[in-house]
């Protein structure tokens, strides 16, 4: 009950704190690459402006991946970005399972000067939209 009394007496302080937390989360999300929908990913790839980088391990990649995606496992990409260095002039779209690794890699590549986006919801969202996957290789 004391919490609610504090909030009612210090409403300006609490509101300021909530706004600052929101701004921090929003900025962090943008720094790690703006999330894009599966349909926007398709549009960017069809225009030739994007490269798909799948961050899942090789076994998951072979089980099913988006056409044209290159597989660079999460652990390998965070140490060195040589696999994607030749794509600096294109938008890099990061794909992972559910979105757990794309943010960290997005921040890393953003600091390296890449234009980074993240597939919102990862490959799970792609599958939920009944979009095609390629198996093997």
């Amino acid at each position: 009950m004391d919490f609610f009394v504090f909030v009612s007496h210090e409403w300006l302080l609490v509101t300021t704190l909530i706004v600052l937390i929101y701004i921090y989360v929003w900025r962090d999300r943008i720094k790690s690459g703006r999330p894009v929908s599966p349909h926007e990913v398709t549009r960017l790839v069809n225009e030739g402006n994007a490269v798909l980088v799948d961050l899942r391990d090789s076994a998951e990649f072979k089980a099913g991946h988006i056409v044209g995606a290159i597989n660079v496992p999460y652990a390998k990409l965070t140490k060195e970005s040589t696999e994607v260095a030749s794509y600096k002039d294109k938008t890099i779209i990061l794909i992972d399972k559910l979105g757990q690794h794309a943010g960290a890699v997005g921040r890393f590549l953003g600091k390296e000067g890449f234009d980074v986006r993240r597939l919102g919801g990862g490959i799970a969202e792609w599958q939920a939209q009944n979009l095609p996957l390629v198996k093997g290789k």
Side-chain angles (χ1 to χ4, degrees), residues 30-131:
I30 296 299
K31 282 183 182 178
S32 63
R34 185 172 59 86
V36 292
S37 70
H39 300 294
E40 190 172 352
V41 169
T42 304
R43 183 185 59 78
L44 287 168
V45 171
N46 287 342
E47 290 174 354
N49 297 332
V51 175
L52 302 173
V53 177
D54 197 316
L55 301 172
R56 299 175 299 151
D57 63 33
S58 298
E60 288 177 326
F61 182 79
K62 288 177 184 175
H65 60 274
I66 300 172
V67 175
I70 58 172
N71 182 230
V72 183
Y74 166 73
K76 188 175 182 182
L77 187 60
T78 56
K79 292 178 185 168
E80 54 187 58
S81 60
T82 57
E83 289 84 3
V84 296
S86 62
Y87 301 114
K88 204 159 193 166
D89 61 331
K90 296 187 181 249
T91 300
I92 304 292
I93 300 176
L94 301 173
I95 303 164
D96 60 2
K97 196 171 194 175
L98 298 170
Q100 70 273 25
H101 297 301
V105 174
R107 277 188 295 280
F108 173 74
L109 290 176
K111 287 178 185 175
E112 298 289 318
F114 289 90
D115 178 20
V116 181
R117 310 284 167 82
R118 296 178 289 127
L119 175 59
I123 201 75
E125 179 62 25
W126 186 271
Q127 290 173 312
Q129 298 281 333
N130 291 320
L131 295 167

